[in-house]
Amino acid sequence: STPWTKGNPQVPYGQQQQAPPALSLPIASARIRGPAMRQPREIASFSFDNNRRLHFDDSSLSYFYLLQEDVTSSGGIDLSAGYNAFEKRDDTIDEHLDGLLLSLVYLERTTGKKTTGDIITWRGILTKLLCLPYSRNDGFELNALWFDQQLFIEENLPYKLATQHRPDQRSELMSYWGYKFEQISTIPKPWNECSRQEIESRSQKPVSNVAQYCSVVKTGLGNVRMVIAGEVDCVWDYKPDPKDNIDNDPKLFDNPLDHYVELKTNRVIQSDRDASTFENKLLRVWAQSFLLGVPKAIVGFRSEQGYLQTFEEFETQKIPGIVKKSKYSNPYTTWDAVDALAFLAACLEWLKNVIPRDEENLVWTIRYLPRSDYLTVSKSDLPSFLHPDFVQWRSA
Ligand code: 0WD
Ligand code: CA
């Protein structure tokens, strides 16, 4: 197969190994140079509680709280602690776009205005597409349908469950380290509203990944406007109260997105190989934070055995430059943010045009097969995946 290389962006059809399937987008030749990204703007937020019940508020929002000396003085914090008590969300339950769509019903009911935008989806879906030129090993299937003049896209969960390799014990533990790091580095209220006891006991309770806080943003890329929702790990300091933002002077606007933080864990970097692996991983960190307008990622570095040794802040907008300037960077293989965005813009534009608009509620499959050169679209016989309350609200 043709690798994605910077030096070889245009591979004419005639030189491809196989004829392109109908309704296909060649990944290596889909380019819109320098598409403009609109500044994401938060239009709503919602929370899942510990029972996975949905609330149209910020009740599951967390606040960053971790001191470098707490990490270093202890000689490392054991991220495996409490592993046996982990309360893990059942990710075989298909929630479709429910949280996002119900939050839009709530928003539209309370404001009396319909949310505009061409594409409505989870941020995680767009992260996959944004990274695709450089992440060609894993396949995926997405479901897409037009409804009320908007294109809705979700992951096809049965496909994901059927094709993902079952994680071994070590990968299960490593994913726990990520959630444990979230727990030890956050508190449920701003620190000045927390008692010493609340702060000090934050790592005593079992770790759970059931509760989540999500932000819904309006954004745009090239000619495509979109509404996307994604999980936000915590705020750095506080989230501005909309009541304090009634002044329409843009210079005074305290943007909630400016306060958000993405948390990640990574092994401590001890070799050239570690460094280069980390720089590849920064593509996904950059992509997911950039899409939602999250300005900062905090990476907890842990030992091979899962002891947190230190943590470091990365400004989202500086990540592409850090990777480019690195001594491990290779102009042919290192990821490039401008090229990735050019692909995403072309891809979304293509999806908007190739999926027939007039056939509302008909589900289409967007498919990427592992290591293939194309993204394809075909008709599926799946029923609509939109929540009935959303359909009823928009049909009223
Ligand atoms: O396959 C599924 N069932 C998916 C569910 C795929 C993608 C998303 N989701 C759900 C999420 O649980 C959430 O409610 O959609 C909502 C929004 O997610 P997103 O922000 O679009 O998801 P993504 O950007 O893919 O992931 C962000 C975080 C992850 O953090 P890291 O640091 O690893 O990127 O969402 C969490 C995870 O912490 N997350 C999940 N947690 C539990 N179960 C899952 C999952 N299946 N997927 C993502
Ligand atoms: Ca995270």
Side-chain angles (χ1 to χ4, degrees), residues 18 24 78 80 113 120 138 154 168 195 197 202-203 218 222 238 258-259 262-263 269 279 293 306 309 336 354 369 391:
Q18 308 132 315
S24 70
D78 182 8
S80 303
K113 278 186 281 191
I120 302 190
D138 297 317
E154 68 156 12
D168 56 28
S195 65
Q197 155 74 14
R202 69 187 181 280
S203 49
K218 267 185 87 160
Y238 65 93
D258 289 346
H259 298 261
E262 169 64 33
L263 300 173
I269 290 162
E279 288 173 7
Q309 313 268 285
D336 178 280
V354 80
L369 292 171
V391 173

Side-chain angles (χ1 to χ4, degrees), residues 167-195:
D168 56 28
Q169 280 186 334
R170 176 143 175 106
S171 2
E172 293 269 19
L173 179 62
M174 284 168 66
S175 91
Y176 177 77
W177 291 344
Y179 294 114
K180 182 70 188 175
F181 176 60
E182 287 180 12
Q183 185 202 45
I184 63 166
S185 59
T186 60
I187 46 181
K189 289 181 288 181
W191 68 270
N192 56 346
E193 291 169 28
C194 277
S195 65

